[in-house]
Amino acid sequence: MKNDLTVFEQLESEVRSYCRSFPTIFTKAKGHKMWDVDGKEYLDFFSGAGALNYGHNDENMKKKLVEYIMDDGITHSLDMASTAKKDFLTKLNEVILKPRNLDYKVMFPGPTGTNTVESALKLARKVTGRTEVISFTNGFHGMTIGALSVTGNSFKRKGAGIPLHNAITMPYDSYINDKSDSLDYLEQYLEDGGSGVEIPAAVILETVQGEGGLNTASNEWLKKLESICKRWDIFLIIDDVQAGVGRTGTFFSFEPAGITPDVVCLSKSIGGYGLPFAITLIKPEHDVWAPGEHNGTFRGNNMAFVTATEALNYWEDPNFEKSIQEKAVKITDFLEGLVKKYPEMDGYRKGRGIMQGISSNVDGFSEKVAARAYEQGLIMETAGSNDEVFKLFPAINIDDKALERGFEIVEAAVKSVAKEDKLVTS
């Protein structure tokens, strides 16, 4: 097969994006590696934008999936009961929820992140009888209308083509400056009868904003937000679509803060293998749906149930979570070192866990670093409203040797771009 992108240029919509950043035809992937049709090997520090936390084609998941298919297991079942669904629900409860003292009902809203967000917003409005939802600056929650209404990115919002209503944007933690508590601002709006802000049905946020630039909410800020929500009887919705399933060092990104959201949105890596899958976790007292009141044709993706169940086996071993946190420390140290070594890029580290990157104040610098890294065989993307952050998103089970090889490529890319831009002299 020729590495010719003409067919995509001629037949695929102009809306395509990632193939522009990574202009080759990929043909094979395994673990933390990908190969194109020319046989060139790439180190994957992108992980399907967080959908492949366990890497590509995990052997155990693949084996279970192939066995299930060969045994003529149910593929599509809407929300009918199946053995695959039963196994997943049981495993999730026993391995993840019970050990963390979390009591949630599991809803299957449809296969994508925006599906779980839409279901969370709808449920909050149904339970509270209110309409408004508070979201935060630079948040990203999906591309359907409800999710877009609580998304901050102006480019994405413009794509809706209609006014986006019933959402109020408030400043995220440290959005104004590190000394100002943005939640004081929120509380004043709620308490002041002249603010023009109604008591909302819900507050929705990511504890680490993936697409928004790896902005990170402190544990103290999250605890205070939870207390505000309890005081005003507001739903607290945590969107863990990208930051969850180990990406920040614990299964749920909110665990270190010691909070218990009313609703948790999960997708991407909850399926383990990269198959479309999403769930909405709901506190039992809020599970007031009428049968079929919210549904979706592909909420019964049994093949994803199979791989998701197998993926949870990783979490039975406490050393797995420990290993993620150890890798996170290495990433932090590497990025902090990079910032010190190349002050010319005017950058600083952002994010936490295996969801970190560097934000550069030099216009276009991060985009050039990502492009140069791709040329040198490493795939990573940028984030932030101006693509000012280059972010490291390797598989959470990547081995140390591959991680360090990635560091070498990233540093070489930074040095190359800095020289090219005449920011360094040697």
Side-chain angles (χ1 to χ4, degrees), residues 337-349:
L338 210 59
V339 168
K340 292 178 181 178
K341 192 172 182 179
Y342 299 94
E344 301 86 355
M345 68 177 168
D346 193 12
Y348 58 99
R349 183 188 62 82

Side-chain angles (χ1 to χ4, degrees), residues 27-282:
T27 185
K28 183 179 177 180
K30 184 67 177 176
H32 54 266
K33 297 179 180 179
M34 297 179 71
W35 292 266
D36 67 15
V37 293
D38 291 331
K40 183 176 179 178
E41 182 178 292
Y42 297 84
L43 188 57
D44 186 3
F45 268 37
F46 173 55
S47 300
L52 295 165
N53 282 2
Y54 306 98
H56 299 267
N57 290 303
D58 178 270
E59 279 299 313
N60 295 329
M61 295 181 216
K62 180 170 67 174
K63 181 181 178 182
K64 291 290 185 180
L65 180 58
V66 170
E67 288 175 353
Y68 186 79
I69 293 171
M70 295 304 294
D71 288 341
D72 291 327
I74 299 292
T75 298
H76 177 268
S77 60
L78 292 111
D79 68 351
M80 290 185 283
S82 69
T83 53
K85 184 196 284 189
K86 179 181 179 181
D87 291 344
F88 170 71
L89 286 169
T90 302
K91 193 82 166 185
L92 180 70
N93 193 47
E94 294 297 325
V95 175
I96 302 300
L97 300 182
K98 280 187 176 180
R100 291 162 177 79
N101 296 314
L102 296 173
D103 183 15
Y104 287 119
K105 299 289 287 293
V106 183
M107 176 183 178
F108 301 101
T112 71
T114 199
N115 290 139
T116 178
V117 168
E118 293 285 357
S119 67
L121 298 177
K122 186 188 290 188
L123 181 63
R125 287 170 171 141
K126 177 180 174 62
V127 172
T128 64
R130 306 182 207 127
T131 58
E132 304 305 299
V133 173
I134 288 178
S135 58
F136 292 92
T137 49
N138 290 309
F140 177 80
H141 299 287
M143 299 298 286
T144 49
I145 297 300
L148 266 183
S149 71
V150 292
T151 288
N153 187 287
S154 60
F155 175 72
K156 299 288 197 303
R157 290 174 64 87
K158 186 178 179 181
I162 61 171
L164 298 171
H165 297 304
N166 302 116
I168 305 160
T169 304
M170 289 287 169
Y172 193 71
D173 191 13
S174 300
Y175 176 76
I176 301 172
N177 57 61
D178 291 335
K179 298 179 181 179
S180 174
D181 187 346
S182 60
L183 294 181
D184 289 342
Y185 181 72
L186 170 59
E187 280 191 293
Q188 186 171 347
Y189 262 78
L190 294 176
E191 292 172 356
D192 185 356
S195 70
V197 174
E198 297 178 15
I199 304 304
V203 166
I204 185 169
L205 75 152
E206 308 151 272
T207 66
V208 181
Q209 297 180 325
E211 302 304 309
L214 300 183
N215 307 304
T216 304
S218 69
N219 290 338
E220 293 73 23
W221 191 87
L222 291 170
K223 288 177 181 177
K224 184 173 180 179
L225 179 61
E226 182 185 50
S227 69
I228 292 171
C229 288
K230 287 181 177 178
R231 176 185 172 193
W232 293 94
D233 193 26
I234 300 167
F235 259 49
L236 176 59
I237 303 171
I238 295 294
D239 179 346
D240 244 2
V241 169
Q242 189 169 112
V245 194
R247 181 52 62 183
T248 59
T250 51
F251 189 86
F252 296 107
S253 71
F254 56 82
E255 288 180 54
I259 64 173
T260 306
D262 293 286
V263 178
V264 182
C265 299
L266 291 170
S267 184
K268 291 187 183 280
S269 280
I270 189 62
Y273 201 72
L275 296 171
F277 187 36
I279 60 176
T280 308
L281 302 180
I282 307 165

Side-chain angles (χ1 to χ4, degrees), residues 138 258 285 360:
N138 290 309
E285 62 266 30
S360 172

